[in-house]
Amino acid sequence: MNQFDVIVVGAGHAGIEACLATSRLGCSTALLTNNMSRVGYMSCNPSIGGLAKGHMVKEIDILGGEMGIAADKTCIQFKRLNSSRGPAVRGSRAQCDKDLYCKHMNKVVSAAKNLSVYEVEARALILDGKKCRGIETADGVKIYSEKVILCAGTFMNAVMHFGLKQVPGGRAGDKATVGISNQLADQGFKVSRLKTGTPARALKSSIDFSKTAKQYGDERFIPFSFRSPARLTLPQIPCFITHTNEATHEIIRRNLDQSPMFCGVIQGVGPRYCPSIEDKVTRFAEKISHQSFLEPEGLDSELIYIQGMSTSLPEAVQYEFLRTMPGLENVKLVRPGYAVEYDFFEPTQLSGTLETKEISGLFFAGQINGTSGYEEAAAQGLLAGINAAMQCLEREAVILRRDEAYIGVLIDDLVTKGTREPYRMMTSRAEHRLVLREDNVLDRLHNVATGNRLVSDSVLNEYEKVLGERQELRRVLATTAVVPSPETQAAFKKMNSPVLQKPMKLKDLLRREELTCFKLREFGLETNHDFDKVIEPVEIETKYEGYIDRQTKIIEQARKMEEVLIPRELDFEKVHGLSSEEREKLRSIGPRNLAQASRISGVNPSAIQAIMIHLKACQRAT
């Protein structure tokens, strides 16, 4: 069979979510991969989630994605980062068993209905003018489809750098994808280079862990997925902390002439928020030490991931500087660290659905759009898959707003602003992060999941059940009053909380910093609901209600600009008051509405006013 509704190229984190989304929505789908054994392979850090990234994993889950379930099932250490800080900046992180994660994803993909998997190399797109019709493989086989989703990761024209030695490939053990990026460049696409890197993997038995500090996970486990049980499946294990020192730094400085980054061999821009150890030593010369986590790659794995020590220096130099660090004096490397340089497409060439503007039926998702990280890739793959399926089914596109999801922030940033370095999601990128919390993902996105049938009926029923329980808890808090009495006053004193001067609703009491829903049991509040799914989300929104209301008003004002649509055919040459630069950028991006136009770099508020006046004049004329 060589005719499908959708073809997905690449079986990394973007490709998995893309093909599962299209197949689950009923579209016949072909997944093309160079290596079936590496479906969902964690090329770098063996973890899922983190600050802002954990938010996206939970959003992916509510919208029917698989990443959260896989992370929960294969978690070997769970932590909630920033747990002592405000709820908007807390982030869940799961270190996973790398091999089991890959096996889980392979099993899910292999068993999916409407999905066929082929171990072939995609060589070229089949184009019919400005329409994508399928893929031609390296063997010359043509596979046709209505839509193609390109999720080639770091593989397009990829080169690995081991010191000054260069080897074609997107990661150790896998060859590069050659041809497609050159073909698209010939079609007028802007193609640039980025760089990423990975640290060495060490043999566990060669490390003296007695010279390191143990780092344990949290006792409380909070699943990423609504579909996961609230208990860990696998045993939990510690990580270990060690540090660099001046001897480490001196060896690195002495060998910078062997680093491809510092010799100008690598032209691609690297990730600012995940720098190599060479970058750290040179950019932060005043620091006498840098922390490194030694992370087991699995329960039965002999490999240790040396986090924070990404490098492209030669293997001999890596041995030399690693052996200056406590616990690594006799370290043996299974694989040295290396850098990867690869092609990516400027993401402003995409619409908000992640379909390319230049060629219809062609979608991009993942690191080929200039992002960095498994979670960012998976989020794009999911939305590209959903929107490719929506086109096949002749249904409306799904575009998430910035105030609705971190995924909305991610995609809007990419297609509106573009990127010059590997884009990493952070809480600071979201102007409405107080309403984009991990605890309220269901409230934010259940309508999208329900309205577009992105999850099964049983999951939708669970969503409705939890939402109903939250609403009931809100009702009880808002209607139940506590009156002053000797018993209640004694209870407040015992809790170090002010006594009552008059009757107060439980909702108002809960706003006190020292009180929780569990403490309000003293006054008759029943707390039999699930804490993670029901009690904590309602408690957080109650305590922060004033701040949330203020942000909601700002969001409502911003939505007025979202509602002012800019017609695709609008000729910006006819809009008076725009500079040449503003016209060029507006034509290039093609904003959907005034709000998106206002976020384009170089487009001033006066230009937004001019567009609004022009649109109103056009309305009056009709």
Side-chain angles (χ1 to χ4, degrees):
M1 182 177 181
N2 67 343
Q3 179 69 50
F4 295 88
D5 293 325
V6 181
I7 296 172
V8 177
V9 179
H13 303 281
I16 287 171
E17 299 297 354
C19 72
L20 290 178
T22 57
S23 61
R24 287 169 177 172
L25 283 165
C27 297
S28 61
T29 304
L31 174 63
L32 312 186
T33 175
N34 288 343
N35 191 340
M36 267 299 296
S37 67
R38 292 201 170 185
V39 172
Y41 187 72
M42 293 181 175
S43 304
C44 200
N45 198 330
S47 69
I48 296 293
L51 301 179
K53 292 169 174 278
H55 293 69
M56 285 196 295
V57 178
K58 288 176 178 276
E59 291 170 356
I60 289 166
D61 177 68
I62 293 298
L63 297 175
E66 191 68 25
M67 177 172 271
I69 293 175
D72 291 337
K73 283 189 174 181
T74 62
C75 175
I76 56 177
Q77 188 187 98
F78 175 82
K79 286 187 77 70
R80 175 180 263 189
L81 307 180
N82 278 351
S83 58
S84 61
R85 299 184 61 189
V89 294
R90 297 171 192 162
S92 298
R93 178 186 185 273
Q95 186 182 338
C96 299
D97 185 301
K98 191 171 182 173
D99 184 52
L100 293 179
Y101 186 95
C102 195
K103 287 179 178 177
H104 171 86
M105 286 302 197
N106 199 317
K107 182 179 179 181
V108 171
V109 166
S110 298
K113 294 180 179 179
N114 305 314
L115 179 60
S116 302
V117 186
Y118 300 96
E119 192 172 58
V120 296
E121 180 184 349
R123 183 176 65 186
L125 301 169
I126 300 172
L127 300 179
D128 180 7
K130 293 298 182 180
K131 169 73 177 175
C132 187
R133 296 293 187 185
I135 290 287
E136 182 177 346
T137 72
D139 297 328
V141 176
K142 292 184 177 181
I143 308 174
Y144 294 93
S145 64
E146 291 298 312
K147 312 295 172 187
V148 171
I149 307 174
L150 194 57
C151 307
T154 62
F155 287 79
M156 290 197 304
N157 285 344
V159 176
M160 296 181 290
H161 296 265
F162 299 86
L164 300 181
K165 177 185 175 184
Q166 299 178 31
V167 180
R171 65 181 169 219
D174 289 310
K175 58 185 179 180
T177 297
V178 179
I180 292 178
S181 59
N182 293 341
Q183 179 188 15
L184 289 172
D186 291 340
Q187 291 288 323
F189 281 80
K190 183 180 178 182
V191 184
S192 301
R193 299 287 275 176
L194 286 177
K195 169 259 179 187
T196 189
T198 190
R201 306 309 197 268
L203 193 63
K204 184 190 296 184
S205 59
S206 70
I207 299 173
D208 184 352
F209 292 106
S210 68
K211 295 182 179 180
T212 66
K214 281 187 178 181
Q215 181 81 13
Y216 291 96
D218 297 346
E219 290 187 10
R220 177 189 170 197
F221 172 59
I222 308 167
F224 279 111
S225 176
F226 248 72
R227 294 165 279 173
S228 296
R231 63 180 183 277
L232 288 158
T233 304
L234 300 177
Q236 301 297 283
I237 60 176
C239 296
F240 304 86
I241 300 175
T242 185
H243 296 82
T244 64
N245 51 56
E246 186 52 40
T248 319
H249 299 178
E250 176 54 33
I251 293 168
I252 292 168
R253 285 192 290 263
R254 194 171 65 237
N255 288 280
L256 288 176
D257 61 341
Q258 299 187 68
S259 168
M261 278 294 292
F262 285 81
C263 294
V265 175
I266 294 178
Q267 299 298 315
V269 180
R272 190 190 339 168
Y273 302 102
C274 188
S276 67
I277 189 61
E278 298 99 290
D279 285 327
K280 290 180 184 178
V281 168
T282 53
R283 285 165 51 190
F284 308 106
E286 73 284 357
K287 292 199 69 172
I288 61 172
S289 179
H290 294 281
Q291 184 173 264
S292 174
F293 284 86
L294 306 179
E295 300 181 338
E297 291 204 339
L299 293 175
D300 300 320
S301 175
E302 278 297 307
L303 299 186
I304 296 291
Y305 177 90
I306 309 178
Q307 191 198 70
M309 301 296 289
S310 174
T311 182
S312 55
L313 285 165
E315 183 175 359
V317 178
Q318 293 183 43
Y319 265 112
E320 189 179 358
F321 73 68
L322 286 172
R323 286 179 171 175
T324 65
M325 298 168 63
L328 302 183
E329 293 87 352
N330 298 299
V331 71
K332 292 182 180 178
L333 302 184
V334 178
R335 190 180 73 211
Y338 60 94
V340 182
E341 192 176 16
Y342 58 96
D343 284 352
F344 85 102
F345 298 106
E346 173 57 52
T348 54
Q349 298 170 108
L350 305 174
S351 71
T353 63
L354 297 181
E355 184 180 21
T356 68
K357 297 172 184 175
E358 189 69 21
I359 297 176
S360 66
L362 177 62
F363 295 74
F364 293 164
Q367 286 182 277
I368 64 168
N369 289 337
T371 58
S372 171
Y374 309 144
E375 302 82 4
E376 289 88 344
Q380 293 171 72
L382 178 67
L383 265 294
I386 290 171
N387 282 310
M390 291 299 160
Q391 286 191 13
C392 291
L393 299 169
E394 298 183 345
R395 287 158 55 183
E396 285 190 18
V398 176
I399 298 177
L400 302 176
R401 301 188 309 270
R402 295 180 69 90
D403 61 279
E404 197 171 27
Y406 269 91
I407 299 175
V409 175
L410 167 70
I411 294 176
D412 183 69
D413 275 355
L414 291 174
V415 304
T416 304
K417 302 174 184 177
T419 188
R420 295 182 179 178
E421 62 183 5
Y423 178 105
R424 177 181 180 178
M425 180 51 71
M426 298 175 289
T427 54
S428 59
R429 294 191 189 274
E431 64 272 33
H432 305 305
R433 59 183 171 273
L434 187 56
V435 298
L436 299 180
R437 308 184 307 276
E438 280 194 351
D439 63 88
N440 72 342
V441 174
L442 180 62
D443 297 280
R444 293 190 271 118
L445 295 177
H446 78 277
N447 283 335
V448 178
T450 302
N452 294 286
R453 308 298 296 179
L454 301 182
V455 293
S456 66
D457 288 342
S458 61
V459 174
L460 289 177
N461 290 337
E462 176 64 15
Y463 287 177
E464 294 301 324
K465 174 177 174 292
V466 171
L467 289 169
E469 290 175 353
R470 289 183 186 180
Q471 192 58 32
E472 174 60 16
L473 180 55
R474 293 186 189 104
R475 186 194 67 77
V476 171
L477 290 169
T479 58
T480 305
V482 178
V483 299
S485 70
E487 293 78 16
T488 57
Q489 305 296 47
F492 282 118
K493 289 177 181 178
K494 186 178 178 181
M495 297 175 191
N496 293 318
S497 190
V499 297
L500 297 183
Q501 304 301 319
K502 60 180 181 180
M504 285 186 71
K505 294 289 195 294
L506 290 177
K507 180 178 180 179
D508 298 319
L509 288 171
L510 188 55
R511 292 197 181 101
R512 294 183 179 183
E513 185 179 356
E514 69 278 6
L515 296 184
T516 64
C517 281
F518 286 132
K519 288 186 177 181
L520 293 181
R521 287 183 296 187
E522 289 276 349
F523 312 108
L525 178 66
E526 292 187 9
T527 54
N528 297 325
H529 299 300
D530 183 282
F531 180 76
D532 295 329
K533 291 182 177 179
V534 179
I535 295 174
E536 185 179 54
V538 173
E539 188 173 296
I540 288 172
E541 73 176 35
T542 301
K543 285 185 177 294
Y544 290 87
E545 186 176 41
Y547 299 101
I548 293 170
D549 284 346
R550 283 202 290 272
Q551 190 150 106
T552 301
K553 289 176 182 176
I554 294 171
I555 290 170
E556 288 172 354
Q557 292 172 355
R559 275 191 198 165
K560 292 177 182 177
M561 290 183 68
E562 297 274 357
E563 291 167 1
V564 181
L565 301 180
I566 298 177
R568 270 188 166 185
E569 64 274 11
L570 178 64
D571 184 356
F572 290 104
E573 290 293 333
K574 295 181 179 179
V575 180
H576 299 294
L578 300 181
S579 68
S580 297
E581 180 189 5
E582 287 169 335
R583 286 192 174 95
E584 182 182 344
K585 290 193 172 183
L586 287 163
R587 277 196 301 268
S588 173
I589 302 299
R592 302 183 307 276
N593 51 51
L594 276 186
Q596 187 184 6
S598 71
R599 293 190 289 270
I600 299 173
S601 176
V603 175
N604 296 310
S606 59
I608 302 304
Q609 188 70 20
I611 296 170
M612 187 183 297
I613 291 169
H614 181 84
L615 291 174
K616 286 182 178 178
C618 291
Q619 286 179 346
R620 287 195 298 270
T622 56

